[in-house]
Amino acid sequence: LAKTTQPISMDSYEGQEVNITCSHNNIATNDYITWYQQFPSQGPRFIIQGYKTKVTNEVASLFIPADRKSSTLSLPRVSLSDTAVYYCLVGDQAGTALIFGKGTTLSVSS
Amino acid sequence: GAGVSQSPSNKVTEKGKDVELRCDPISGHTALYWYRQSLGQGLEFLIYFQGNSAPDKSGLPSDRFSAERTGGSVSTLTIQRTQQEDSAVYLCASSLDLYPYEQYFGPGTRLTVT
């Protein structure tokens, strides 16, 4: 079971780029890395998923180094509405990938 | 299309009563998950279904908790003899298939045990 470690909280200002790093030293060969976002009083929402190198979509980028022991979620030019909790998940099948932990609380100020 | 729906949205019950929480997944999604989130805490995984089958029930907090899924669709989480520590938001999610497929979450049921 690949355990993940993320910072408890981060602060940023509008317009800045935010990078949240997740450590997963025991990641297995078949494991994927997935990030979710959760706003207060809502269920989590999928942001991005990757296996290796770099993945980019319309809201974020995910950087995964060659050893895959960590990953970095990059949010370009954050706004106040990006204030949320961000969760990193690692695994390859139901049960092992479903540990959300406490995530990283990102606070964006003006 | 319609997302994951849960009912009721809020439930207040007295300690010792039984409660049933319902989840309607997205049509065609074979996998369904239940989580619990206490105030200010992360998500606690409870159980998942592949079709109507729940291969691993070890995440359920106690034997007062049970879940079933019928017709590969609707799922019910039942809590018997509720306790105050059961108070939390119960979230349901569904996905096209098991992880790593994207999970779509419902709005949750807020359970308060008095």
Side-chain angles (χ1 to χ4, degrees), chain A residues 29-80:
Chain A
T29 302
N30 296 328
D31 286 349
Y32 283 80
I33 301 159
T34 311
W35 287 80
Y36 281 81
Q37 174 192 55
Q38 185 179 27
F39 298 113
S41 303
Q42 295 185 25
R45 183 181 70 167
F46 173 91
I47 301 175
I48 198 166
Q49 183 181 84
Y51 182 79
K52 63 179 180 181
T53 63
K54 176 184 175 182
V55 180
T56 297
N57 61 24
E58 62 276 9
V59 298
S61 294
L62 179 60
F63 297 92
I64 305 169
D67 66 6
R68 305 203 322 127
K69 293 184 182 299
S70 67
S71 59
T72 298
L73 174 72
S74 181
L75 305 172
R77 299 177 299 281
V78 295
S79 64
L80 296 176

mmCIF file of all heavy atoms in Angstrom, chain A residues 29-80:
data_model
loop_
_atom_site.group_PDB
_atom_site.id
_atom_site.type_symbol
_atom_site.label_atom_id
_atom_site.label_comp_id
_atom_site.label_asym_id
_atom_site.label_seq_id
_atom_site.Cartn_x
_atom_site.Cartn_y
_atom_site.Cartn_z
ATOM 1 N N THR A 29 4.892 -0.503 -9.343
ATOM 2 C CA THR A 29 5.019 -0.384 -10.794
ATOM 3 C C THR A 29 3.697 -0.027 -11.476
ATOM 4 O O THR A 29 3.669 0.766 -12.412
ATOM 5 C CB THR A 29 5.558 -1.696 -11.389
ATOM 6 O OG1 THR A 29 6.814 -1.987 -10.786
ATOM 7 C CG2 THR A 29 5.734 -1.573 -12.893
ATOM 8 N N ASN A 30 2.617 -0.628 -11.023
ATOM 9 C CA ASN A 30 1.332 -0.437 -11.705
ATOM 10 C C ASN A 30 0.499 0.713 -11.139
ATOM 11 O O ASN A 30 -0.631 0.930 -11.582
ATOM 12 C CB ASN A 30 0.502 -1.714 -11.635
ATOM 13 C CG ASN A 30 1.154 -2.858 -12.382
ATOM 14 O OD1 ASN A 30 1.830 -2.653 -13.385
ATOM 15 N ND2 ASN A 30 0.968 -4.056 -11.885
ATOM 16 N N ASP A 31 1.041 1.424 -10.161
ATOM 17 C CA ASP A 31 0.259 2.484 -9.507
ATOM 18 C C ASP A 31 0.117 3.718 -10.392
ATOM 19 O O ASP A 31 1.078 4.158 -11.022
ATOM 20 C CB ASP A 31 0.922 2.902 -8.194
ATOM 21 C CG ASP A 31 0.736 1.882 -7.097
ATOM 22 O OD1 ASP A 31 -0.078 0.954 -7.277
ATOM 23 O OD2 ASP A 31 1.412 2.010 -6.052
ATOM 24 N N TYR A 32 -1.070 4.308 -10.371
ATOM 25 C CA TYR A 32 -1.327 5.605 -10.961
ATOM 26 C C TYR A 32 -1.361 6.662 -9.846
ATOM 27 O O TYR A 32 -1.550 6.340 -8.680
ATOM 28 C CB TYR A 32 -2.683 5.618 -11.685
ATOM 29 C CG TYR A 32 -2.661 4.942 -13.016
ATOM 30 C CD1 TYR A 32 -2.738 3.562 -13.111
ATOM 31 C CD2 TYR A 32 -2.561 5.684 -14.189
ATOM 32 C CE1 TYR A 32 -2.724 2.927 -14.339
ATOM 33 C CE2 TYR A 32 -2.553 5.066 -15.426
ATOM 34 C CZ TYR A 32 -2.623 3.686 -15.487
ATOM 35 O OH TYR A 32 -2.603 3.069 -16.706
ATOM 36 N N ILE A 33 -1.183 7.909 -10.226
ATOM 37 C CA ILE A 33 -1.233 9.031 -9.287
ATOM 38 C C ILE A 33 -2.397 9.918 -9.700
ATOM 39 O O ILE A 33 -2.494 10.329 -10.866
ATOM 40 C CB ILE A 33 0.078 9.835 -9.332
ATOM 41 C CG1 ILE A 33 1.261 8.922 -8.973
ATOM 42 C CG2 ILE A 33 -0.004 11.029 -8.379
ATOM 43 C CD1 ILE A 33 2.583 9.448 -9.465
ATOM 44 N N THR A 34 -3.279 10.194 -8.749
ATOM 45 C CA THR A 34 -4.495 10.950 -9.040
ATOM 46 C C THR A 34 -4.653 12.071 -8.035
ATOM 47 O O THR A 34 -4.376 11.885 -6.847
ATOM 48 C CB THR A 34 -5.722 10.027 -8.978
ATOM 49 O OG1 THR A 34 -5.491 8.843 -9.737
ATOM 50 C CG2 THR A 34 -6.951 10.732 -9.537
ATOM 51 N N TRP A 35 -5.101 13.213 -8.503
ATOM 52 C CA TRP A 35 -5.359 14.364 -7.627
ATOM 53 C C TRP A 35 -6.831 14.752 -7.704
ATOM 54 O O TRP A 35 -7.425 14.792 -8.785
ATOM 55 C CB TRP A 35 -4.502 15.566 -8.027
ATOM 56 C CG TRP A 35 -3.059 15.413 -7.658
ATOM 57 C CD1 TRP A 35 -2.104 14.703 -8.324
ATOM 58 C CD2 TRP A 35 -2.401 15.994 -6.530
ATOM 59 N NE1 TRP A 35 -0.891 14.806 -7.674
ATOM 60 C CE2 TRP A 35 -1.039 15.593 -6.582
ATOM 61 C CE3 TRP A 35 -2.817 16.836 -5.487
ATOM 62 C CZ2 TRP A 35 -0.106 15.999 -5.619
ATOM 63 C CZ3 TRP A 35 -1.887 17.230 -4.538
ATOM 64 C CH2 TRP A 35 -0.542 16.812 -4.605
ATOM 65 N N TYR A 36 -7.382 15.042 -6.512
ATOM 66 C CA TYR A 36 -8.760 15.509 -6.395
ATOM 67 C C TYR A 36 -8.774 16.840 -5.654
ATOM 68 O O TYR A 36 -7.890 17.140 -4.867
ATOM 69 C CB TYR A 36 -9.630 14.502 -5.620
ATOM 70 C CG TYR A 36 -10.085 13.314 -6.428
ATOM 71 C CD1 TYR A 36 -9.249 12.229 -6.649
ATOM 72 C CD2 TYR A 36 -11.369 13.273 -6.968
ATOM 73 C CE1 TYR A 36 -9.668 11.140 -7.397
ATOM 74 C CE2 TYR A 36 -11.799 12.182 -7.712
ATOM 75 C CZ TYR A 36 -10.943 11.127 -7.930
ATOM 76 O OH TYR A 36 -11.365 10.044 -8.656
ATOM 77 N N GLN A 37 -9.829 17.606 -5.907
ATOM 78 C CA GLN A 37 -10.037 18.904 -5.277
ATOM 79 C C GLN A 37 -11.374 18.859 -4.545
ATOM 80 O O GLN A 37 -12.353 18.300 -5.057
ATOM 81 C CB GLN A 37 -10.079 19.980 -6.363
ATOM 82 C CG GLN A 37 -10.436 21.376 -5.926
ATOM 83 C CD GLN A 37 -10.717 22.255 -7.138
ATOM 84 O OE1 GLN A 37 -11.555 21.936 -7.977
ATOM 85 N NE2 GLN A 37 -9.992 23.368 -7.257
ATOM 86 N N GLN A 38 -11.409 19.426 -3.338
ATOM 87 C CA GLN A 38 -12.664 19.456 -2.599
ATOM 88 C C GLN A 38 -12.922 20.840 -2.039
ATOM 89 O O GLN A 38 -12.095 21.374 -1.289
ATOM 90 C CB GLN A 38 -12.680 18.425 -1.464
ATOM 91 C CG GLN A 38 -14.022 18.348 -0.754
ATOM 92 C CD GLN A 38 -14.071 17.314 0.344
ATOM 93 O OE1 GLN A 38 -13.052 16.986 0.935
ATOM 94 N NE2 GLN A 38 -15.261 16.802 0.642
ATOM 95 N N PHE A 39 -14.099 21.388 -2.383
ATOM 96 C CA PHE A 39 -14.556 22.644 -1.812
ATOM 97 C C PHE A 39 -15.405 22.339 -0.585
ATOM 98 O O PHE A 39 -15.972 21.242 -0.468
ATOM 99 C CB PHE A 39 -15.375 23.436 -2.828
ATOM 100 C CG PHE A 39 -14.603 23.831 -4.048
ATOM 101 C CD1 PHE A 39 -14.906 23.287 -5.290
ATOM 102 C CD2 PHE A 39 -13.568 24.743 -3.971
ATOM 103 C CE1 PHE A 39 -14.194 23.651 -6.423
ATOM 104 C CE2 PHE A 39 -12.847 25.111 -5.092
ATOM 105 C CZ PHE A 39 -13.159 24.566 -6.320
ATOM 106 N N PRO A 40 -15.529 23.300 0.322
ATOM 107 C CA PRO A 40 -16.356 23.076 1.519
ATOM 108 C C PRO A 40 -17.774 22.653 1.157
ATOM 109 O O PRO A 40 -18.363 23.180 0.207
ATOM 110 C CB PRO A 40 -16.329 24.447 2.214
ATOM 111 C CG PRO A 40 -15.050 25.069 1.767
ATOM 112 C CD PRO A 40 -14.863 24.614 0.353
ATOM 113 N N SER A 41 -18.287 21.705 1.872
ATOM 114 C CA SER A 41 -19.659 21.219 1.714
ATOM 115 C C SER A 41 -19.926 20.578 0.356
ATOM 116 O O SER A 41 -21.081 20.496 -0.074
ATOM 117 C CB SER A 41 -20.675 22.357 1.935
ATOM 118 O OG SER A 41 -20.495 22.927 3.206
ATOM 119 N N GLN A 42 -18.879 20.133 -0.315
ATOM 120 C CA GLN A 42 -19.050 19.415 -1.584
ATOM 121 C C GLN A 42 -18.212 18.144 -1.563
ATOM 122 O O GLN A 42 -17.259 18.022 -0.789
ATOM 123 C CB GLN A 42 -18.614 20.286 -2.762
ATOM 124 C CG GLN A 42 -19.458 21.520 -2.988
ATOM 125 C CD GLN A 42 -19.036 22.257 -4.248
ATOM 126 O OE1 GLN A 42 -18.480 21.674 -5.179
ATOM 127 N NE2 GLN A 42 -19.313 23.550 -4.282
ATOM 128 N N GLY A 43 -18.555 17.208 -2.457
ATOM 129 C CA GLY A 43 -17.727 16.036 -2.633
ATOM 130 C C GLY A 43 -16.494 16.377 -3.456
ATOM 131 O O GLY A 43 -16.477 17.370 -4.175
ATOM 132 N N PRO A 44 -15.440 15.578 -3.369
ATOM 133 C CA PRO A 44 -14.229 15.831 -4.161
ATOM 134 C C PRO A 44 -14.507 15.785 -5.653
ATOM 135 O O PRO A 44 -15.456 15.139 -6.106
ATOM 136 C CB PRO A 44 -13.295 14.690 -3.738
ATOM 137 C CG PRO A 44 -13.774 14.277 -2.393
ATOM 138 C CD PRO A 44 -15.270 14.448 -2.450
ATOM 139 N N ARG A 45 -13.641 16.463 -6.393
ATOM 140 C CA ARG A 45 -13.764 16.489 -7.846
ATOM 141 C C ARG A 45 -12.415 16.136 -8.447
ATOM 142 O O ARG A 45 -11.385 16.659 -8.027
ATOM 143 C CB ARG A 45 -14.197 17.880 -8.313
ATOM 144 C CG ARG A 45 -14.434 18.004 -9.802
ATOM 145 C CD ARG A 45 -14.829 19.406 -10.170
ATOM 146 N NE ARG A 45 -13.730 20.350 -10.031
ATOM 147 C CZ ARG A 45 -13.740 21.589 -10.511
ATOM 148 N NH1 ARG A 45 -14.801 22.030 -11.140
ATOM 149 N NH2 ARG A 45 -12.709 22.382 -10.345
ATOM 150 N N PHE A 46 -12.412 15.255 -9.433
ATOM 151 C CA PHE A 46 -11.186 14.839 -10.117
ATOM 152 C C PHE A 46 -10.520 16.028 -10.784
ATOM 153 O O PHE A 46 -11.172 16.848 -11.429
ATOM 154 C CB PHE A 46 -11.558 13.792 -11.163
ATOM 155 C CG PHE A 46 -10.434 13.367 -12.072
ATOM 156 C CD1 PHE A 46 -9.640 12.289 -11.726
ATOM 157 C CD2 PHE A 46 -10.198 14.026 -13.267
ATOM 158 C CE1 PHE A 46 -8.618 11.875 -12.572
ATOM 159 C CE2 PHE A 46 -9.173 13.625 -14.106
ATOM 160 C CZ PHE A 46 -8.385 12.539 -13.761
ATOM 161 N N ILE A 47 -9.180 16.119 -10.605
ATOM 162 C CA ILE A 47 -8.435 17.172 -11.290
ATOM 163 C C ILE A 47 -7.598 16.578 -12.419
ATOM 164 O O ILE A 47 -7.696 16.997 -13.572
ATOM 165 C CB ILE A 47 -7.475 17.913 -10.331
ATOM 166 C CG1 ILE A 47 -8.213 18.542 -9.171
ATOM 167 C CG2 ILE A 47 -6.705 18.997 -11.097
ATOM 168 C CD1 ILE A 47 -7.256 19.173 -8.156
ATOM 169 N N ILE A 48 -6.742 15.612 -12.071
ATOM 170 C CA ILE A 48 -5.783 15.127 -13.049
ATOM 171 C C ILE A 48 -5.228 13.791 -12.593
ATOM 172 O O ILE A 48 -5.237 13.484 -11.399
ATOM 173 C CB ILE A 48 -4.648 16.174 -13.243
ATOM 174 C CG1 ILE A 48 -3.875 15.930 -14.546
ATOM 175 C CG2 ILE A 48 -3.718 16.207 -12.034
ATOM 176 C CD1 ILE A 48 -2.982 17.122 -14.943
ATOM 177 N N GLN A 49 -4.751 13.006 -13.547
ATOM 178 C CA GLN A 49 -4.167 11.704 -13.244
ATOM 179 C C GLN A 49 -2.998 11.439 -14.177
ATOM 180 O O GLN A 49 -3.034 11.840 -15.343
ATOM 181 C CB GLN A 49 -5.215 10.612 -13.409
ATOM 182 C CG GLN A 49 -4.746 9.205 -13.048
ATOM 183 C CD GLN A 49 -5.851 8.179 -13.255
ATOM 184 O OE1 GLN A 49 -6.073 7.681 -14.346
ATOM 185 N NE2 GLN A 49 -6.558 7.879 -12.171
ATOM 186 N N GLY A 50 -1.965 10.754 -13.645
ATOM 187 C CA GLY A 50 -0.832 10.428 -14.493
ATOM 188 C C GLY A 50 -0.120 9.189 -14.022
ATOM 189 O O GLY A 50 -0.336 8.701 -12.896
ATOM 190 N N TYR A 51 0.755 8.689 -14.877
ATOM 191 C CA TYR A 51 1.575 7.531 -14.538
ATOM 192 C C TYR A 51 3.065 7.909 -14.508
ATOM 193 O O TYR A 51 3.781 7.514 -13.596
ATOM 194 C CB TYR A 51 1.342 6.402 -15.536
ATOM 195 C CG TYR A 51 2.122 5.160 -15.234
ATOM 196 C CD1 TYR A 51 1.691 4.277 -14.254
ATOM 197 C CD2 TYR A 51 3.315 4.874 -15.911
ATOM 198 C CE1 TYR A 51 2.419 3.143 -13.947
ATOM 199 C CE2 TYR A 51 4.041 3.740 -15.608
ATOM 200 C CZ TYR A 51 3.584 2.874 -14.635
ATOM 201 O OH TYR A 51 4.311 1.750 -14.329
ATOM 202 N N LYS A 52 3.496 8.653 -15.496
ATOM 203 C CA LYS A 52 4.879 9.115 -15.508
ATOM 204 C C LYS A 52 4.994 10.396 -16.333
ATOM 205 O O LYS A 52 4.057 10.797 -17.016
ATOM 206 C CB LYS A 52 5.805 8.042 -16.078
ATOM 207 C CG LYS A 52 5.514 7.681 -17.520
ATOM 208 C CD LYS A 52 6.487 6.616 -18.014
ATOM 209 C CE LYS A 52 6.194 6.241 -19.458
ATOM 210 N NZ LYS A 52 7.125 5.186 -19.951
ATOM 211 N N THR A 53 6.108 11.041 -16.231
ATOM 212 C CA THR A 53 6.477 12.298 -16.908
ATOM 213 C C THR A 53 5.484 13.406 -16.592
ATOM 214 O O THR A 53 5.283 13.744 -15.457
ATOM 215 C CB THR A 53 6.631 12.085 -18.432
ATOM 216 O OG1 THR A 53 5.399 11.679 -19.007
ATOM 217 C CG2 THR A 53 7.708 11.038 -18.694
ATOM 218 N N LYS A 54 4.881 13.984 -17.625
ATOM 219 C CA LYS A 54 4.045 15.157 -17.414
ATOM 220 C C LYS A 54 2.693 14.985 -18.077
ATOM 221 O O LYS A 54 2.589 14.464 -19.184
ATOM 222 C CB LYS A 54 4.747 16.396 -17.981
ATOM 223 C CG LYS A 54 3.921 17.682 -17.911
ATOM 224 C CD LYS A 54 4.644 18.833 -18.591
ATOM 225 C CE LYS A 54 3.779 20.092 -18.633
ATOM 226 N NZ LYS A 54 4.468 21.209 -19.334
ATOM 227 N N VAL A 55 1.672 15.402 -17.347
ATOM 228 C CA VAL A 55 0.307 15.406 -17.878
ATOM 229 C C VAL A 55 -0.250 16.809 -17.695
ATOM 230 O O VAL A 55 -0.045 17.423 -16.647
ATOM 231 C CB VAL A 55 -0.584 14.388 -17.142
ATOM 232 C CG1 VAL A 55 -1.995 14.412 -17.710
ATOM 233 C CG2 VAL A 55 0.011 12.993 -17.238
ATOM 234 N N THR A 56 -0.931 17.303 -18.699
ATOM 235 C CA THR A 56 -1.523 18.639 -18.611
ATOM 236 C C THR A 56 -2.952 18.600 -19.116
ATOM 237 O O THR A 56 -3.251 17.943 -20.115
ATOM 238 C CB THR A 56 -0.711 19.646 -19.456
ATOM 239 O OG1 THR A 56 0.611 19.740 -18.913
ATOM 240 C CG2 THR A 56 -1.339 21.037 -19.403
ATOM 241 N N ASN A 57 -3.838 19.284 -18.398
ATOM 242 C CA ASN A 57 -5.191 19.465 -18.889
ATOM 243 C C ASN A 57 -5.561 20.942 -18.751
ATOM 244 O O ASN A 57 -4.694 21.778 -18.497
ATOM 245 C CB ASN A 57 -6.192 18.539 -18.202
ATOM 246 C CG ASN A 57 -6.287 18.754 -16.707
ATOM 247 O OD1 ASN A 57 -5.962 19.838 -16.209
ATOM 248 N ND2 ASN A 57 -6.722 17.721 -16.001
ATOM 249 N N GLU A 58 -6.811 21.264 -18.879
ATOM 250 C CA GLU A 58 -7.214 22.669 -18.921
ATOM 251 C C GLU A 58 -7.115 23.361 -17.567
ATOM 252 O O GLU A 58 -7.177 24.589 -17.499
ATOM 253 C CB GLU A 58 -8.648 22.797 -19.457
ATOM 254 C CG GLU A 58 -9.709 22.126 -18.606
ATOM 255 C CD GLU A 58 -9.857 20.632 -18.903
ATOM 256 O OE1 GLU A 58 -9.019 20.079 -19.658
ATOM 257 O OE2 GLU A 58 -10.808 20.036 -18.374
ATOM 258 N N VAL A 59 -6.961 22.602 -16.493
ATOM 259 C CA VAL A 59 -6.917 23.242 -15.177
ATOM 260 C C VAL A 59 -5.591 23.073 -14.451
ATOM 261 O O VAL A 59 -5.271 23.864 -13.552
ATOM 262 C CB VAL A 59 -8.053 22.721 -14.264
ATOM 263 C CG1 VAL A 59 -9.405 23.054 -14.847
ATOM 264 C CG2 VAL A 59 -7.924 21.244 -14.013
ATOM 265 N N ALA A 60 -4.804 22.070 -14.781
ATOM 266 C CA ALA A 60 -3.598 21.803 -14.003
ATOM 267 C C ALA A 60 -2.591 20.996 -14.806
ATOM 268 O O ALA A 60 -2.905 20.481 -15.882
ATOM 269 C CB ALA A 60 -3.959 21.035 -12.734
ATOM 270 N N SER A 61 -1.383 20.917 -14.245
ATOM 271 C CA SER A 61 -0.357 20.027 -14.777
ATOM 272 C C SER A 61 0.118 19.123 -13.662
ATOM 273 O O SER A 61 0.094 19.503 -12.482
ATOM 274 C CB SER A 61 0.821 20.830 -15.333
ATOM 275 O OG SER A 61 0.432 21.588 -16.459
ATOM 276 N N LEU A 62 0.539 17.944 -14.034
ATOM 277 C CA LEU A 62 1.058 16.975 -13.077
ATOM 278 C C LEU A 62 2.445 16.562 -13.541
ATOM 279 O O LEU A 62 2.601 16.073 -14.668
ATOM 280 C CB LEU A 62 0.135 15.764 -12.991
ATOM 281 C CG LEU A 62 0.549 14.635 -12.052
ATOM 282 C CD1 LEU A 62 0.672 15.137 -10.613
ATOM 283 C CD2 LEU A 62 -0.454 13.484 -12.128
ATOM 284 N N PHE A 63 3.433 16.786 -12.677
ATOM 285 C CA PHE A 63 4.806 16.451 -12.996
ATOM 286 C C PHE A 63 5.230 15.244 -12.164
ATOM 287 O O PHE A 63 5.096 15.239 -10.933
ATOM 288 C CB PHE A 63 5.736 17.629 -12.691
ATOM 289 C CG PHE A 63 5.435 18.846 -13.522
ATOM 290 C CD1 PHE A 63 4.563 19.815 -13.053
ATOM 291 C CD2 PHE A 63 6.014 19.016 -14.769
ATOM 292 C CE1 PHE A 63 4.276 20.944 -13.810
ATOM 293 C CE2 PHE A 63 5.735 20.143 -15.534
ATOM 294 C CZ PHE A 63 4.869 21.107 -15.052
ATOM 295 N N ILE A 64 5.742 14.227 -12.839
ATOM 296 C CA ILE A 64 6.165 12.998 -12.171
ATOM 297 C C ILE A 64 7.597 12.696 -12.598
ATOM 298 O O ILE A 64 7.843 12.459 -13.785
ATOM 299 C CB ILE A 64 5.242 11.825 -12.544
ATOM 300 C CG1 ILE A 64 3.776 12.186 -12.246
ATOM 301 C CG2 ILE A 64 5.637 10.562 -11.780
ATOM 302 C CD1 ILE A 64 2.773 11.201 -12.816
ATOM 303 N N PRO A 65 8.555 12.709 -11.659
ATOM 304 C CA PRO A 65 9.949 12.427 -12.018
ATOM 305 C C PRO A 65 10.129 10.965 -12.386
ATOM 306 O O PRO A 65 9.239 10.144 -12.156
ATOM 307 C CB PRO A 65 10.707 12.785 -10.734
ATOM 308 C CG PRO A 65 9.713 12.601 -9.645
ATOM 309 C CD PRO A 65 8.382 12.983 -10.230
ATOM 310 N N ALA A 66 11.284 10.660 -12.914
ATOM 311 C CA ALA A 66 11.534 9.314 -13.424
ATOM 312 C C ALA A 66 11.392 8.237 -12.351
ATOM 313 O O ALA A 66 10.901 7.141 -12.631
ATOM 314 C CB ALA A 66 12.936 9.250 -14.042
ATOM 315 N N ASP A 67 11.802 8.527 -11.119
ATOM 316 C CA ASP A 67 11.709 7.497 -10.073
ATOM 317 C C ASP A 67 10.296 7.365 -9.505
ATOM 318 O O ASP A 67 10.030 6.435 -8.733
ATOM 319 C CB ASP A 67 12.714 7.765 -8.953
ATOM 320 C CG ASP A 67 12.428 9.037 -8.173
ATOM 321 O OD1 ASP A 67 11.381 9.679 -8.406
ATOM 322 O OD2 ASP A 67 13.251 9.408 -7.335
ATOM 323 N N ARG A 68 9.415 8.277 -9.853
ATOM 324 C CA ARG A 68 7.994 8.259 -9.465
ATOM 325 C C ARG A 68 7.768 8.255 -7.961
ATOM 326 O O ARG A 68 6.667 7.950 -7.501
ATOM 327 C CB ARG A 68 7.282 7.063 -10.102
ATOM 328 C CG ARG A 68 7.407 6.984 -11.584
ATOM 329 C CD ARG A 68 6.343 6.210 -12.312
ATOM 330 N NE ARG A 68 5.903 5.017 -11.625
ATOM 331 C CZ ARG A 68 4.635 4.755 -11.351
ATOM 332 N NH1 ARG A 68 3.676 5.610 -11.689
ATOM 333 N NH2 ARG A 68 4.304 3.629 -10.738
ATOM 334 N N LYS A 69 8.741 8.634 -7.178
ATOM 335 C CA LYS A 69 8.580 8.628 -5.730
ATOM 336 C C LYS A 69 7.904 9.887 -5.213
ATOM 337 O O LYS A 69 7.667 10.037 -4.005
ATOM 338 C CB LYS A 69 9.941 8.436 -5.057
ATOM 339 C CG LYS A 69 10.538 7.047 -5.312
ATOM 340 C CD LYS A 69 11.829 6.868 -4.552
ATOM 341 C CE LYS A 69 12.452 5.502 -4.839
ATOM 342 N NZ LYS A 69 11.570 4.388 -4.423
ATOM 343 N N SER A 70 7.645 10.804 -6.108
ATOM 344 C CA SER A 70 6.900 12.002 -5.742
ATOM 345 C C SER A 70 6.162 12.497 -6.979
ATOM 346 O O SER A 70 6.422 12.028 -8.096
ATOM 347 C CB SER A 70 7.835 13.096 -5.220
ATOM 348 O OG SER A 70 8.670 13.552 -6.270
ATOM 349 N N SER A 71 5.258 13.431 -6.769
ATOM 350 C CA SER A 71 4.569 14.070 -7.888
ATOM 351 C C SER A 71 4.212 15.484 -7.469
ATOM 352 O O SER A 71 4.065 15.766 -6.261
ATOM 353 C CB SER A 71 3.325 13.292 -8.298
ATOM 354 O OG SER A 71 2.409 13.177 -7.223
ATOM 355 N N THR A 72 4.103 16.364 -8.436
ATOM 356 C CA THR A 72 3.788 17.756 -8.139
ATOM 357 C C THR A 72 2.601 18.216 -8.974
ATOM 358 O O THR A 72 2.637 18.122 -10.207
ATOM 359 C CB THR A 72 4.994 18.671 -8.426
ATOM 360 O OG1 THR A 72 6.088 18.285 -7.583
ATOM 361 C CG2 THR A 72 4.647 20.129 -8.148
ATOM 362 N N LEU A 73 1.582 18.672 -8.276
ATOM 363 C CA LEU A 73 0.423 19.273 -8.924
ATOM 364 C C LEU A 73 0.719 20.751 -9.096
ATOM 365 O O LEU A 73 1.038 21.440 -8.125
ATOM 366 C CB LEU A 73 -0.821 19.086 -8.067
ATOM 367 C CG LEU A 73 -2.082 19.799 -8.563
ATOM 368 C CD1 LEU A 73 -2.621 19.107 -9.809
ATOM 369 C CD2 LEU A 73 -3.148 19.832 -7.461
ATOM 370 N N SER A 74 0.590 21.252 -10.299
ATOM 371 C CA SER A 74 0.856 22.657 -10.578
ATOM 372 C C SER A 74 -0.419 23.348 -11.037
ATOM 373 O O SER A 74 -1.053 22.923 -12.008
ATOM 374 C CB SER A 74 1.950 22.787 -11.644
ATOM 375 O OG SER A 74 2.232 24.152 -11.906
ATOM 376 N N LEU A 75 -0.790 24.395 -10.313
ATOM 377 C CA LEU A 75 -1.977 25.182 -10.655
ATOM 378 C C LEU A 75 -1.500 26.547 -11.149
ATOM 379 O O LEU A 75 -0.935 27.325 -10.388
ATOM 380 C CB LEU A 75 -2.875 25.361 -9.439
ATOM 381 C CG LEU A 75 -3.324 24.081 -8.737
ATOM 382 C CD1 LEU A 75 -4.043 24.411 -7.436
ATOM 383 C CD2 LEU A 75 -4.222 23.275 -9.656
ATOM 384 N N PRO A 76 -1.690 26.859 -12.425
ATOM 385 C CA PRO A 76 -1.196 28.130 -12.958
ATOM 386 C C PRO A 76 -2.122 29.290 -12.603
ATOM 387 O O PRO A 76 -3.340 29.153 -12.676
ATOM 388 C CB PRO A 76 -1.191 27.885 -14.470
ATOM 389 C CG PRO A 76 -2.285 26.897 -14.683
ATOM 390 C CD PRO A 76 -2.316 26.016 -13.457
ATOM 391 N N ARG A 77 -1.541 30.407 -12.188
ATOM 392 C CA ARG A 77 -2.305 31.632 -11.975
ATOM 393 C C ARG A 77 -3.581 31.390 -11.175
ATOM 394 O O ARG A 77 -4.703 31.523 -11.684
ATOM 395 C CB ARG A 77 -2.651 32.300 -13.308
ATOM 396 C CG ARG A 77 -1.423 32.704 -14.115
ATOM 397 C CD ARG A 77 -1.807 33.293 -15.462
ATOM 398 N NE ARG A 77 -2.540 32.352 -16.293
ATOM 399 C CZ ARG A 77 -1.995 31.382 -16.979
ATOM 400 N NH1 ARG A 77 -0.677 31.193 -16.921
ATOM 401 N NH2 ARG A 77 -2.725 30.575 -17.717
ATOM 402 N N VAL A 78 -3.403 31.032 -9.918
ATOM 403 C CA VAL A 78 -4.561 30.701 -9.084
ATOM 404 C C VAL A 78 -5.441 31.913 -8.837
ATOM 405 O O VAL A 78 -4.988 33.063 -8.870
ATOM 406 C CB VAL A 78 -4.127 30.087 -7.738
ATOM 407 C CG1 VAL A 78 -3.445 28.739 -7.963
ATOM 408 C CG2 VAL A 78 -3.253 31.042 -6.947
ATOM 409 N N SER A 79 -6.691 31.639 -8.572
ATOM 410 C CA SER A 79 -7.656 32.671 -8.209
ATOM 411 C C SER A 79 -8.267 32.311 -6.857
ATOM 412 O O SER A 79 -8.001 31.237 -6.306
ATOM 413 C CB SER A 79 -8.760 32.778 -9.262
ATOM 414 O OG SER A 79 -9.501 31.563 -9.302
ATOM 415 N N LEU A 80 -9.071 33.211 -6.320
ATOM 416 C CA LEU A 80 -9.698 32.971 -5.016
ATOM 417 C C LEU A 80 -10.508 31.679 -5.039
ATOM 418 O O LEU A 80 -10.593 30.976 -4.021
ATOM 419 C CB LEU A 80 -10.601 34.146 -4.636
ATOM 420 C CG LEU A 80 -9.909 35.494 -4.418
ATOM 421 C CD1 LEU A 80 -10.949 36.576 -4.150
ATOM 422 C CD2 LEU A 80 -8.912 35.425 -3.283
#
